[in-house]
Amino acid sequence: MEHERDVEDALEREVRDRIGRAAHDYFAGGAGAEITLRDNHAAWNRIALAPRVLRGVGERDTAVTLLGERRRHPVLVAPMAYQRHAHDEGELAMARGAAATGTPMILSSQTTTAPADVARAMGETARWMQLYVFRDRALSFEIVEAAREGGYEALVITVDFPLGGRRDREIASGFTATHPTFLNHGENLSPDVRHTRHDPDLTWDDIAVFAEASALPVVLKGILHPADAELAVQAGAAGLVVSNHGGRQLDTVVSGADALAPVIDAVDGRADVLVDGGVRRGWDVAKAIALGANGVLVGRHALWGLARGGAEGVERVLSDLVDEFDSTLALLGCRTPDELSRDHILTAPWA
């Protein structure tokens, strides 16, 4: 565990040197004392794997079905804002790296690249659009229209951002966005202004409005409580993401890994369930699928690849992750993700 942490620290130090301390702390940091941020990955390490043997795993297939479509593997790129602060080509490079590995990309509302340009970079590879709901609903509907025009397959509404969490590390570093986003139309906005744009009065009744406007399947991102998972299904969500926003909203909340199984049990197959937070290794992906998830979102891990090497850096990170997931399947005695189950996991003795 310590070696893995040392390797991750070394990668983050390299990225920090490349993009500068303030930008690094914006991307890497979390809320408060960052207890949840650290626990997001630690929680996956509290799950042990229980392999089965002599299963004939010479031929394997990593494909899954997600929102009714067959995908090459269960990994998606999570929505992340301001990617041009990590690399000059920003979301375009992320899109090309994702497309090279058949990885669907979820584009942030706070993209520094126009959704139409990202769509072209993705080619035939699936892309979804993340949506923040703002006080000025016209801004949100502008994103919805861009998603429809750009051939985005789903609308991912972030529901855990009534206002911005207190991110001590970001405040201390003094990060200010200098690359305007698609929504800002050339205007740079301070963190205080950005965060006050979000609508704190968003309710379940609003979900149907955006579903109708987009004519796309709606995925709700930011679900941690089983009762909210039930409400998400009742609201017509095609999917939901078990997520604590990368530990960036409220410190000491439960990790995605720990919240996942109760949410899956509450959904009971009525919608697809994805999870994010701390997914770095192929066996993390396998654990999520074994718990019952349909897919996983990878955020910072992909972003560090972007910062280190643009599209090629993203491609390498995602390829390594999928290859490691494939080998984990074999070592667990599984030929496909569908063969993974809770029989393959248990509480780690070292936890």
Side-chain angles (χ1 to χ4, degrees):
M1 305 295 180
E2 288 302 319
H3 172 71
E4 183 176 334
R5 184 64 251 176
D6 290 345
V7 170
E8 189 71 17
D9 286 344
L11 292 175
E12 288 196 25
R13 284 194 296 270
E14 178 186 340
V15 168
R16 184 180 63 192
D17 292 341
R18 286 174 180 265
I19 68 177
R21 177 68 178 269
H24 168 267
D25 285 355
Y26 166 75
F27 290 122
E34 300 185 346
I35 293 169
T36 291
L37 176 67
R38 292 189 294 272
D39 193 56
N40 272 347
H41 183 63
W44 295 113
N45 287 334
R46 290 195 293 269
I47 301 171
L49 292 168
R52 302 298 303 275
V53 298
L54 301 177
R55 295 288 171 141
V57 294
E59 294 185 6
R60 298 177 305 283
D61 185 354
T62 60
V64 297
T65 299
L66 192 56
L67 296 189
E69 298 292 335
R70 183 177 172 85
R71 318 289 179 176
R72 282 170 53 179
H73 52 73
V75 178
L76 296 84
V77 174
M80 292 171 284
Y82 307 114
Q83 291 183 29
R84 286 177 63 195
H85 282 275
H87 187 275
D88 287 345
E89 292 187 297
E91 292 85 0
L92 288 179
M94 184 71 79
R96 289 197 296 269
T101 58
T103 303
M105 175 179 171
I106 306 175
L107 183 65
S108 170
S109 286
Q110 300 292 79
T111 174
T112 52
T113 306
D117 294 336
V118 173
R120 282 190 288 271
M122 291 295 293
E124 297 300 315
T125 304
R127 58 267 186 187
W128 300 358
M129 177 67 75
Q130 180 265 342
L131 178 71
Y132 283 124
V133 178
F134 300 109
R135 296 173 189 269
D136 181 354
R137 292 295 175 92
L139 290 175
S140 294
F141 284 116
E142 190 174 339
I143 284 288
V144 170
E145 184 61 26
R148 293 182 60 177
E149 292 180 353
Y152 288 76
E153 292 185 6
L155 191 67
V156 181
I157 304 177
T158 294
V159 295
D160 62 356
F161 205 119
L163 47 82
R166 181 178 176 84
R167 302 169 190 169
D168 294 349
R169 193 184 341 178
E170 180 184 338
I171 293 170
S173 292
F175 173 78
T176 299
T178 56
H179 292 290
T181 67
F182 169 70
L183 281 178
N184 294 342
H185 301 293
E187 178 185 8
N188 295 317
L189 299 178
S190 68
D192 290 342
V193 174
R194 294 198 308 266
H195 290 174
T196 57
R197 300 169 91 188
H198 296 258
D199 188 352
D201 291 319
L202 186 68
T203 71
W204 293 102
D205 293 336
D206 294 307
I207 301 304
V209 174
F210 287 98
E212 182 178 358
S214 67
L216 296 172
V218 166
V219 177
L220 302 185
K221 180 177 180 291
I223 302 293
L224 291 173
H225 200 290
D228 281 341
E230 175 63 34
L231 290 171
V233 173
Q234 293 179 13
L240 54 90
V241 182
V242 177
S243 172
N244 57 37
H245 213 104
R248 294 168 69 80
Q249 281 296 86
L250 180 62
D251 204 9
T252 72
V253 300
V254 66
S255 71
D258 287 324
L260 180 58
V263 167
I264 286 171
D265 292 343
V267 171
D268 194 25
R270 293 172 293 167
D272 286 343
V273 179
L274 302 96
V275 64
D276 70 9
V279 176
R280 298 176 189 157
R281 304 303 300 258
W283 42 86
D284 298 336
V285 180
K287 292 171 186 179
I289 303 303
L291 283 166
N294 302 95
V296 303
L297 275 56
V298 176
R300 292 180 180 92
H301 199 50
L303 192 83
W304 301 151
L306 173 68
R308 294 178 74 198
E312 291 182 358
V314 173
E315 180 180 353
R316 179 173 179 179
V317 164
L318 295 175
S319 293
D320 287 350
L321 183 62
V322 173
D323 287 348
E324 198 168 67
F325 172 63
D326 175 63
S327 67
T328 300
L329 283 178
L331 292 168
L332 287 173
C334 298
R335 290 162 295 186
T336 69
D338 287 342
E339 294 183 0
L340 287 167
S341 73
R342 294 184 187 179
D343 287 340
H344 291 100
I345 57 176
L346 64 153
T347 301
W350 57 81

